[in-house]
């Protein structure tokens, strides 16, 4: 079975995000970019499926600018076999990505798509769900455990009240949560080998997908700065402040 893993190039999670002076977007000039952390977990899970003899091929796909090739090479260095770049200079919104992935699925016919649960740049948490809906496939989101059977997959997901276990018929879409696995580090020999693995480039037009943005960003703003704390003299003053200033006590 072939496993398809969509990987997004996002601002590195260690970077302190700055907003552009004109408030139109986040400032990405000279900022370190990396693979979305949930997608690293998805790649790791797919590679483990292959190592465990359950998957035959791991194909990674990224939609976006030419620089996404770096993200794809990083995924190849983690053990993916082959990469597809759907190249577009348009800022791709979740619905456009889901449509592009649907077209890639039609071309590649994977038995399973494993995505991240959300991209840490815009925190949309939409692509996996939309893709499953467009394909008419079952979906299990926020997976913390994935067990592959012959024609099905069992997924444990973390929900408010505890753990929920679902069994889905394949093909299916699964999205990864943080506790699913701990991704490996790419070794130098694997980084070198990744440079030689196949990377195919496709264009949205060739896939018959219109990627025109449907949503308009009105404004991007920094969160309000946290005000400094104060020391209270005693419990009575603390209770007074909680009641009368924070108004969190009745
Ligand atoms: P989102 O719905 O945007 O929060 O993203 C959820 C997941 O969809 C990500 O973790 C990726 O697996 C996938 N994804 C989102 N955007 C892209 C993209 N531009 N290229 C490839 N995969 C993407």
């Amino acid at each position: 079975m072939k496993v398809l893993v969509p990987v997004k190039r996002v601002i590195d999670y260690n970077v302190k995000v700055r907003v552009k002076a004109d408030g139109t977007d986040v400032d990405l000039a000279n900022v370190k970019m990396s693979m979305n952390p949930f997608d690293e977990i998805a790649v790791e899970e797919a590679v483990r499926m292959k190592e465990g003899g359950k998957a035959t091929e791991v194909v990674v796909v990224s939609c976006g600018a030419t620089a996404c090739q770096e993200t794809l090479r990083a995924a190849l260095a983690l053990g993916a076999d082959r990469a597809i770049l759907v190249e577009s200079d348009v800022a791709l919104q979740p619905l456009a990505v889901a449509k592009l992935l649907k077209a890639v699925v039609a071309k590649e016919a994977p038995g399973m798509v494993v995505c991240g649960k959300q991209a840490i740049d815009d925190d949309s948490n939409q692509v996996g769900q939309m893709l499953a809906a467009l394909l008419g496939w079952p979906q299990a989101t926020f997976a913390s455990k994935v067990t592959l059977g012959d024609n099905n997959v069992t997924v444990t997901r973390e929900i408010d009240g505890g753990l929920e276990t679902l069994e889905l018929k394949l093909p299916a879409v699964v999205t990864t949560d943080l506790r699913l696995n701990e991704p490996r580090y790419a070794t130098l020999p694997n980084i070198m080998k990744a440079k030689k693995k196949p990377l195919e480039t496709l264009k949205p037009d060739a896939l018959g997908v219109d990627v025109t943005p449907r949503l308009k960003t009105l404004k991007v703003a920094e969160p309000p700065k946290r005000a400094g704390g104060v020391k209270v003299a005693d419990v009575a003053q603390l209770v007074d402040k909680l009641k009368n200033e924070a108004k969190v006590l009745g």
Side-chain angles (χ1 to χ4, degrees), residues 45-60:
E45 196 63 18
V47 170
R48 287 187 193 183
M49 284 174 196
K50 189 176 166 198
E51 288 169 347
K54 302 271 187 192
T56 49
E57 191 184 24
V58 177
V59 181
V60 283

Side-chain angles (χ1 to χ4, degrees), residues 2 51 65 89 139:
K2 189 192 286 185
E51 288 169 347
D89 289 331
Q139 59 173 293

Side-chain angles (χ1 to χ4, degrees), residues 53-96:
K54 302 271 187 192
T56 49
E57 191 184 24
V58 177
V59 181
V60 283
V61 50
S62 192
C63 310
T66 318
C68 295
Q69 284 184 358
E70 279 169 27
T71 317
L72 290 168
R73 292 281 171 213
L76 293 170
L78 292 175
D81 298 293
R82 191 157 65 77
I84 300 172
L85 168 65
V86 183
E87 198 174 27
S88 168
D89 289 331
V90 177
L92 297 172
Q93 295 179 346
L95 182 59

Side-chain angles (χ1 to χ4, degrees), residues 72-247:
L72 290 168
R73 292 281 171 213
L76 293 170
L78 292 175
D81 298 293
R82 191 157 65 77
I84 300 172
L85 168 65
V86 183
E87 198 174 27
S88 168
D89 289 331
V90 177
L92 297 172
Q93 295 179 346
L95 182 59
V97 174
K99 287 178 181 171
L100 291 171
L101 294 176
K102 182 190 176 206
V104 173
V105 166
K107 203 168 159 293
E108 292 287 335
M112 193 168 160
V113 177
V114 187
C115 329
K117 74 166 179 182
Q118 75 194 58
I120 61 160
D121 50 2
D122 50 21
D123 270 349
S124 294
N125 185 347
Q126 295 178 3
V127 168
Q129 295 89 328
M130 284 177 170
L131 175 64
L134 291 173
L135 290 167
W137 287 9
Q139 59 173 293
T141 53
F142 313 163
S144 59
K145 187 164 178 231
V146 175
T147 313
L148 262 180
D150 287 334
N151 294 311
N152 56 27
V153 56
T154 307
V155 176
T156 303
R157 40 197 313 271
E158 289 177 16
I159 55 170
D160 279 351
L163 297 175
E164 179 183 55
T165 303
L166 302 175
E167 190 180 292
L168 320 180
K169 274 217 182 96
L170 293 174
V173 176
V174 172
T175 78
T176 60
D177 211 335
L178 214 53
R179 269 172 286 273
L180 179 58
N181 62 47
E182 215 173 290
R184 69 196 67 187
Y185 287 101
T187 59
L188 192 58
N190 285 345
I191 293 172
M192 300 312 286
K193 268 191 225 157
K195 293 188 203 263
K196 298 213 178 86
K197 290 187 180 176
L199 193 159
E200 179 188 3
T201 301
L202 303 172
K203 298 278 184 189
D205 280 354
L207 292 170
V209 177
D210 171 10
V211 294
T212 314
R214 303 292 202 274
L215 307 170
K216 193 170 146 201
T217 302
L218 300 180
K219 191 174 145 209
V220 178
E222 300 254 3
K225 293 247 175 321
R226 274 185 72 169
V230 285
K231 268 194 180 167
V232 287
D234 51 26
V235 174
Q237 196 186 4
L238 174 66
V239 172
D240 177 65
K241 279 185 180 293
L242 290 173
K243 264 191 190 161
N244 302 316
E245 276 180 35
K247 300 199 187 332

